[in-house]
Amino acid sequence: MTMLKDPSVKYRPFQPINLPDRQWPTRTITQAPRWLSTDLRDGNQALIDPMGAEKKTRFFDLLVKVGLKEIEVGFPAAGATEFDFIQGLVRSERIPEDVLVQVLTQSREDLIKTSFESLEGAQAAIVHLYNAVSPLWRQVVFGMEREDIRQIAVNGAKVLRDQAARFPTTNWHFEYSPETFSTAELDFSLECCEAVMDVLKPTPEHPIILNLPATVEAATPNIYADQIEYFCRNLPNRDSAVISLHTHNDRGTGVAAAELGLMAGADRVEGCLFGNGERTGNCCLVTVGLNMYTQGIDPGLDFSDIDEVIQTVEYCNQLKVAERHPYGGELVFTAFSGSHQDAIKKGFSAQEQRNDQLWAVPYLPIDPADLGRSYEAVIRVNSQSGKGGFAWVLEQDQGLKLPKRMQAHFSKHVQELADELGRELVAADIWDVFQRVYKQGAGRFELQDYEETKAPDGSRVFAGKIAVDGKVQSVSGRGNGLLSSVVATIEDAFGVKLEIRDYSEHAMSKGSDARAAAYVECVAADGRTIWGVGVDEDVATAGVRAVLSAANAA
């Protein structure tokens, strides 16, 4: 079998919705929706090894900690494990007062009864009823007509109503899904939902949740948005219904479909943390929530320690969160490209100089610190990186802010190492080559002590002790300033001739005990450009060490 040259003989395009006056394209999302996590049900049934009670409990606690107020905890009629877990949550009083737990059931009387029994004793809960309504399911799976399918929904709604009356101490909420909504006729989905509402009699004060799932994502997200807007505009008693979205990711646009669905009038989003779910997964609640956050909207979900969330999800699901997954992936805040690194580095520098809190850093739509991520991993160095990359690493790891021309000088040494090793360079690699190139702590000349005095003619006199190949010598020299007197000393005592072309310095941290770094750009006797670096608690001494560093390199 191979891909067809003419796929139209096998596949048909999805027909667009006739909605010429659609309104959603001009709307924006201005507030967070109601969220429902279905990690413990839809996500769980999609795992190679479904979660046991310990993992489900741990996951439930995480969802509560993140801030989810509606949590689908299982399919109680599926078996004893599901039923016992749900009943255990109720009996242990583990469900916070402001959290609604939800269970899912097909529209069958025995399954609905089991679902209510699993929640016996709960203060409040949602029972979620569904039956598939699309032509493919009607004709191929069930062999039924539209009237038969609608009657299944009505019968299920009547059982919901009657079972709720058996447990009057619980505040019951109802949800109905015309399953396979995304591939069903809109008029028939409306017909089924209206029939269920006629039985359950929702009100604006106690609305029904109507969930409109993209059970299989079969079209572009704009078509799903058209379906949602059409449904919202044509549903009788719209104010007595909460419109909920449950998108899947078969075409890779589950998040986009949910966002456009909210613009089209929906009130609620169902999904899983990091998008786990059947086939290609469900809508990722982390992505949708943080997309809102980057637009200045409080999502009502707390991902301040996103790594802890990932660790729990990976442990419970036994599935890895992909390195490039939006917001949570290990590499999403990482730049290897030289041009990207340079832009990010400049963005952070500009951010430090601003007087407001507005975030504006190239390539980073969100501040990693808001999610508990450090800046150390933002820029990483490999053979594709430029001078901005290692400069950032040195600044973050060692506090050194190399001058621009020094970055270019050091760049070739880093590039050579990256090409030689053929892998990403870690901070220790870069620091090792930096120390080797600029003779930090391992050069021929090492400062032991010195004094600077002013001569009667106004010149400066350097008198110091310098270890030469391990042997301490007393030396002295005269110049217009401290550094020129050191240069004169080195030439007179050791025959190393240097001319200082540029000098810069900076504090490496804040506070009275901060160290200083000094950089000198020199020209050697043979015309070579030589750089030296010195670090010390005293800025003047850092300058002396920088000149000796250049002498060592020369």
Side-chain angles (χ1 to χ4, degrees):
M1 293 290 292
T2 59
M3 290 183 66
L4 300 171
K5 297 297 183 184
D6 180 12
S8 68
V9 302
K10 189 173 184 178
Y11 303 100
R12 292 289 183 268
F14 198 93
Q15 293 302 304
I17 309 302
N18 183 23
L19 195 66
D21 60 340
R22 59 182 58 83
Q23 300 299 307
W24 65 262
T26 61
R27 298 174 182 158
T28 58
I29 298 172
T30 58
Q31 64 182 16
R34 288 171 56 173
W35 304 104
L36 172 92
S37 162
T38 187
D39 288 275
L40 300 179
R41 197 280 303 169
D42 197 341
N44 187 50
Q45 74 184 36
L47 299 177
I48 299 169
D49 297 309
M51 290 179 275
E54 183 271 331
K55 287 183 177 177
K56 291 196 78 169
T57 301
R58 181 169 173 176
F59 211 131
F60 179 82
D61 290 342
L62 171 69
L63 295 170
V64 171
K65 182 177 180 180
V66 164
L68 271 300
K69 301 303 180 184
E70 298 178 43
I71 302 172
E72 194 167 60
V73 289
F75 199 136
T81 299
E82 291 282 278
F83 186 98
D84 292 345
F85 168 71
I86 296 165
Q87 185 56 209
L89 285 178
V90 175
R91 290 178 177 174
S92 65
E93 299 183 347
R94 202 179 195 96
I95 305 168
E97 290 185 2
D98 62 344
V99 171
L100 275 173
V101 293
Q102 174 173 305
V103 297
L104 181 72
T105 177
Q106 293 171 310
S107 188
R108 279 176 38 190
E109 183 174 5
D110 58 329
L111 304 184
I112 297 171
K113 287 181 176 179
T114 300
S115 299
F116 274 87
E117 290 167 1
S118 74
L119 291 166
E120 184 176 0
Q123 292 184 4
I126 305 169
V127 180
H128 180 185
L129 176 78
Y130 76 94
N131 67 302
V133 301
S134 69
L136 186 62
W137 265 254
R138 294 198 308 262
Q139 298 160 12
V140 175
V141 180
F142 304 125
M144 292 182 176
E145 299 299 325
R146 286 171 59 148
E147 182 179 345
D148 302 317
I149 296 297
R150 183 179 63 82
Q151 193 59 45
I152 290 174
V154 170
N155 292 342
K158 290 178 178 179
V159 179
L160 284 184
R161 178 195 62 196
D162 296 342
Q163 286 297 305
R166 290 184 59 227
F167 303 95
T169 60
T170 299
N171 181 14
W172 295 107
H173 301 262
F174 301 125
E175 178 171 348
Y176 172 67
S177 287
E179 184 70 354
T180 65
F181 165 85
S182 57
T183 52
E185 307 94 333
L186 282 169
D187 66 324
F188 186 53
S189 294
L190 280 162
E191 182 182 329
C192 291
C193 290
E194 290 174 39
V196 169
M197 292 176 74
D198 286 343
V199 173
L200 296 176
K201 308 297 184 185
T203 65
E205 294 73 32
H206 200 78
I208 187 174
I209 301 168
L210 296 178
N211 186 50
L212 308 178
T215 306
V216 177
E217 188 176 40
T220 50
N222 62 296
I223 290 181
Y224 183 67
D226 282 348
Q227 292 173 321
I228 301 302
E229 181 170 334
Y230 182 97
F231 186 96
C232 291
R233 287 164 62 170
N234 290 277
L235 178 71
N237 301 317
R238 169 67 178 89
D239 61 351
S240 296
V242 172
I243 304 303
S244 184
L245 309 174
H246 184 117
T247 60
H248 278 259
N249 204 41
D250 299 272
R251 292 170 56 92
T253 55
V255 165
E259 292 180 324
L260 298 191
L262 289 174
M263 292 161 59
D267 312 295
R268 184 175 185 258
V269 171
E270 298 189 1
C272 293
L273 299 184
F274 301 108
N276 179 43
E278 292 179 293
R279 303 181 309 282
T280 55
N282 292 309
C283 174
C284 173
L285 298 185
V286 175
T287 303
V288 178
L290 291 178
N291 281 353
M292 293 180 185
Y293 183 81
T294 64
Q295 302 303 301
I297 300 168
D298 177 10
L301 301 175
D302 186 359
F303 299 114
S304 296
D305 189 350
I306 201 164
D307 288 331
E308 180 191 11
V309 177
I310 291 171
Q311 289 166 10
T312 301
V313 171
E314 289 184 336
Y315 167 74
C316 294
N317 288 344
Q318 293 297 292
L319 294 173
K320 182 175 175 55
V321 174
E323 287 85 349
R324 301 290 182 189
H325 192 100
Y327 301 108
E330 181 184 348
L331 297 178
V332 297
F333 300 127
T334 299
F336 291 103
S337 161
S339 60
H340 288 207
Q341 293 173 342
D342 183 63
I344 291 171
K345 186 173 181 292
K346 289 176 179 175
F348 273 110
S349 297
Q351 194 77 18
E352 291 178 0
Q353 297 172 16
R354 294 175 58 183
N355 294 321
D356 57 54
Q357 294 183 350
L358 291 177
W359 180 253
V361 176
Y363 295 112
L364 295 178
I366 192 172
D367 185 350
D370 288 0
L371 305 181
R373 292 275 176 89
S374 67
Y375 294 140
E376 280 73 8
V378 170
I379 291 177
R380 290 159 62 174
V381 177
N382 63 15
S383 60
Q384 301 298 306
S385 304
K387 59 182 181 296
F390 67 76
W392 167 269
V393 172
L394 281 174
E395 181 175 342
Q396 297 299 305
D397 194 57
Q398 300 293 334
L400 298 174
K401 301 178 183 180
L402 273 58
K404 287 290 185 182
R405 289 198 297 274
M406 188 178 184
Q407 291 179 25
H409 180 268
F410 186 44
S411 178
K412 63 179 182 295
H413 299 284
V414 177
Q415 191 68 46
E416 288 172 359
L417 181 63
D419 291 337
E420 176 187 340
L421 297 179
R423 61 166 173 80
E424 178 189 351
L425 301 184
V426 298
D429 296 323
I430 297 170
W431 181 234
D432 286 345
V433 70
F434 185 88
Q435 290 178 299
R436 174 174 55 80
V437 170
Y438 300 110
K439 311 300 182 185
Q440 298 296 292
R444 186 182 180 200
F445 308 116
E446 294 295 329
L447 180 68
Q448 300 297 303
D449 193 12
Y450 80 95
E451 288 184 355
E452 179 196 11
T453 58
K454 185 177 181 180
D457 61 358
S459 63
R460 299 287 177 172
V461 177
F462 172 85
K465 294 181 178 180
I466 296 177
V468 184
D469 297 329
K471 186 177 180 180
V472 178
Q473 296 186 27
S474 295
V475 292
S476 63
R478 185 189 298 261
N480 293 328
L482 174 60
L483 296 189
S484 62
S485 66
V486 177
V487 168
T489 298
I490 293 172
E491 182 177 359
D492 293 343
F494 311 118
V496 178
K497 186 175 182 179
L498 295 173
E499 177 186 344
I500 295 178
R501 177 184 293 169
D502 196 16
Y503 171 82
S504 62
E505 62 189 35
H506 66 81
M508 298 174 68
S509 60
K510 296 179 180 179
S512 58
D513 58 347
R515 295 191 302 164
Y519 311 90
V520 290
E521 181 183 11
C522 302
V523 179
D526 56 6
R528 288 180 298 141
T529 297
I530 304 293
W531 280 90
V533 183
V535 175
D536 198 89
E537 288 80 5
D538 174 66
V539 65
T541 304
V544 175
R545 294 189 186 280
V547 175
L548 289 174
S549 167
N552 285 324

